[in-house]
Amino acid sequence: MSFKPANRIQDLQYFGEFGGVNPSISDSSTYTFLSAKTMFDTFEGNVEGCYLYSRHSSPSNLYLGEALAAMEGTETAHVAATGMGAITPTLLQLCHAGDHIVASRTIYGGTYAFLKNFAPKFGITSSFVDITNPTAISEAIKPNTKIIYCESVSNPLLEIANLPELSQIAKSNGLKLLVDNTFSPLSISPAALGADIVLHSLTKFINGSSDTMGGVTCGSRELINDLKNVNDGASMLLGPSMDSLRAASILKNLRTLHIRIKQHSKNALYLAEKFEADGLKTVYPGLPSHPGHQTFRNMMNEEYGFGGMLTIDVGSLNKANELMELMQQRNLGYLAVSLGFYKTLFSAPGTSTSSEIPEEEQKAMGLSDGLIRFSIGLENDIERTYQMMQQCMIEIGILKAIIA
Ligand SMILES: *Cc1c(COP(=O)(O)O)cnc(C)c1O
């Protein structure tokens, strides 16, 4: 595939107002107008290039949005204060009371809770399906369905959505395909594979330093204008706007995303291969044993690898907790939710990030008690990390000593 997302980021040139190599930060919530007429026209949406109020847009936010649109290959983008602050207004903008969404059943816990518990208050209902089963998806589509919603690499089970296939189903039924690409920035380019809208939590890999929250909706100019409309735009009226200082810092971190993703992927593949060889139940899209391995391969921008996320199943929640605490004591990473940090992060999704999903549904989707989700960090010496992790597993009886 010839899509080069990191080149597209690199090719954008922004200068500060005094020739700074970084764009100036727009440290203002409101903006002056030279004439009262221009202010009126701007509120009416008839003037381009003027700023009115930072909940609507700001120069710093536009710079970051344009860089993310370039990365995803969409017309434009709109940044938000958090990932959920991008996802929920986008869904509410596209759906009205009486509409229906077909969603993957293995999505981020917050998105799942929004669709299951919150959106029905507005008459928007959802069916949750196995996103790797095209028949189940087609059967779930109803006359009032508007959207197919999935994650390219799902949380936490790392299922791979076949985006070209989903796009075909969406197109032939007149639906929009929305893809949350938080787990696989650069590796997968959903818009180039047929997605209509690409969403991210910037809080994770894209910012990469676990110091900031952020989100983005990448899509058509029409959608983004609708989201920002002063009269009926969900982003404008619900108000999850990103702060300019944060937009500027995320843009600077975006500059190194391609280097970081390559290292996350390299380290994760190394550990996944070792864990699997040790006999641990390991899920990583880069392993040929992963059911979505070939699908990922067919879609990926090869140089970025299969991403930094992997899971192992150590049999029980007690063992999982014991192992995570020991690994943290040995400074192999942190027992924390979230992902995309320089340091390895691990958590047991059943009791943390997916706890919004009822227990019996967790079972149905294959989310077991002993599952540990790893976001593999940027370790320089992953071999040493592996040896130390293996030692932890031997000490608490997950691995037999003979392996060492
Ligand atoms: C974290 C996450 C979100 C939500 O993003 P926030 O920045 O926490 O609001 C959405 N989708 C996925 C896949 C995530 O991992």
Side-chain angles (χ1 to χ4, degrees):
M1 183 180 248
S2 63
F3 197 77
K4 296 269 190 192
N7 291 21
R8 298 173 57 119
I9 299 171
Q10 184 180 333
D11 290 345
L12 288 172
Q13 239 185 7
Y14 302 131
F15 296 110
E17 60 186 316
F18 304 107
V21 294
N22 288 305
S24 306
I25 300 172
S26 48
D27 198 18
S28 296
S29 57
T30 189
Y31 300 83
T32 60
F33 289 85
L34 288 178
S35 78
K37 171 84 169 64
T38 318
M39 178 184 274
F40 174 79
D41 288 343
T42 303
F43 264 94
E44 293 290 295
N46 297 329
V47 177
E48 290 277 311
C50 283
Y51 298 95
L52 33 107
Y53 188 59
S54 286
R55 175 152 40 80
H56 180 263
S57 61
S58 67
S60 297
N61 289 17
L62 289 188
Y63 287 134
L64 176 61
E66 287 316 303
L68 292 163
M71 176 181 88
E72 289 298 359
T74 59
E75 270 179 17
T76 186
H78 181 62
V79 296
T82 67
M84 290 307 289
I87 293 167
T88 58
T90 304
L91 291 168
L92 291 174
Q93 193 69 39
L94 295 171
C95 291
H96 299 163
D99 288 346
H100 174 254
I101 296 170
V102 173
S104 165
R105 64 183 185 184
T106 55
I107 49 175
Y108 178 69
T111 312
Y112 178 87
F114 176 77
L115 291 177
K116 178 128 204 252
N117 307 325
F118 201 92
K121 290 205 284 191
F122 300 100
I124 300 164
T125 55
S126 299
S127 302
F128 298 95
V129 299
D130 174 356
I131 205 70
T132 63
N133 178 350
T135 318
I137 298 160
S138 296
E139 282 173 6
I141 295 170
K142 307 188 214 179
N144 58 340
T145 304
K146 290 283 147 60
I147 285 173
I148 298 179
Y149 187 94
C150 70
E151 295 171 4
S152 25
V153 177
S154 83
N155 180 56
L157 292 173
L158 313 183
E159 288 175 346
I160 309 304
N162 188 333
L163 298 178
E165 186 177 85
L166 288 170
S167 158
Q168 238 165 18
I169 298 174
K171 284 200 171 61
S172 62
N173 288 279
L175 313 178
K176 292 235 180 297
L177 175 62
L178 273 64
V179 179
D180 179 337
N181 199 31
T182 301
F183 275 33
S184 46
L186 300 181
S187 295
I188 296 180
S189 299
L193 299 163
D196 297 288
I197 296 162
V198 185
L199 301 149
H200 280 281
S201 168
L202 306 175
T203 314
K204 316 296 172 53
F205 288 103
I206 289 181
N207 183 61
S209 47
S210 292
D211 57 350
T212 298
M213 303 208 69
V216 70
T217 303
C218 302
S220 67
R221 208 168 294 284
E222 188 188 357
L223 169 75
I224 301 307
N225 283 341
D226 286 350
L227 281 170
K228 294 180 357 181
N229 190 297
V230 295
N231 293 308
D232 60 5
S235 295
M236 184 63 185
L237 299 179
L238 295 171
S241 308
M242 177 174 275
D243 183 77
S244 288
L245 293 171
R246 287 312 195 181
S249 75
I250 296 171
L251 179 61
K252 283 176 275 197
N253 284 5
L254 184 65
R255 303 296 182 196
T256 57
L257 181 63
H258 58 296
I259 301 167
R260 290 185 279 116
I261 290 292
K262 286 176 195 177
Q263 189 71 18
H264 284 299
S265 291
K266 183 177 156 220
N267 286 351
L269 180 63
Y270 181 89
L271 287 180
E273 284 175 343
K274 291 289 187 189
F275 289 160
E276 187 171 61
D278 284 346
L280 290 165
K281 214 165 132 195
T282 309
V283 174
Y284 181 66
L287 293 174
S289 61
H290 188 293
H293 177 68
Q294 198 52 48
T295 308
F296 197 121
R297 232 177 221 298
N298 295 342
M299 295 192 296
M300 77 194 291
N301 301 315
E302 209 158 321
E303 59 184 310
Y304 306 108
F306 294 90
M309 303 301 295
L310 67 85
T311 70
I312 58 171
D313 191 338
V314 298
S316 72
L317 182 59
N318 280 344
K319 282 285 171 213
N321 289 342
E322 224 182 314
L323 176 62
M324 291 190 293
E325 286 169 11
L326 187 58
M327 287 191 298
Q328 178 162 258
Q329 275 170 28
R330 307 253 164 106
N331 198 19
L332 291 169
Y334 297 139
L335 173 47
V337 299
S338 198
L339 42 132
F341 198 32
Y342 79 93
K343 193 99 175 171
T344 294
L345 301 178
F346 31 78
S347 59
T351 55
S352 58
T353 54
S354 296
S355 57
E356 295 93 338
I357 301 170
E359 226 169 285
E360 61 275 18
E361 285 172 50
Q362 291 195 18
K363 280 218 172 66
M365 62 175 71
L367 212 170
S368 65
D369 257 5
L371 198 75
I372 302 177
R373 182 186 80 176
F374 286 81
S375 165
I376 304 301
L378 299 172
E379 277 93 331
N380 182 54
D381 187 351
I382 195 66
E383 224 163 297
R384 187 190 65 169
T385 299
Y386 164 67
Q387 281 158 4
M388 290 172 70
M389 284 182 174
Q390 191 193 42
Q391 185 57 37
C392 294
M393 292 183 202
I394 291 169
E395 281 176 37
I396 62 176
I398 292 167
L399 286 180
K400 298 243 167 6
I402 38 163
I403 288 164

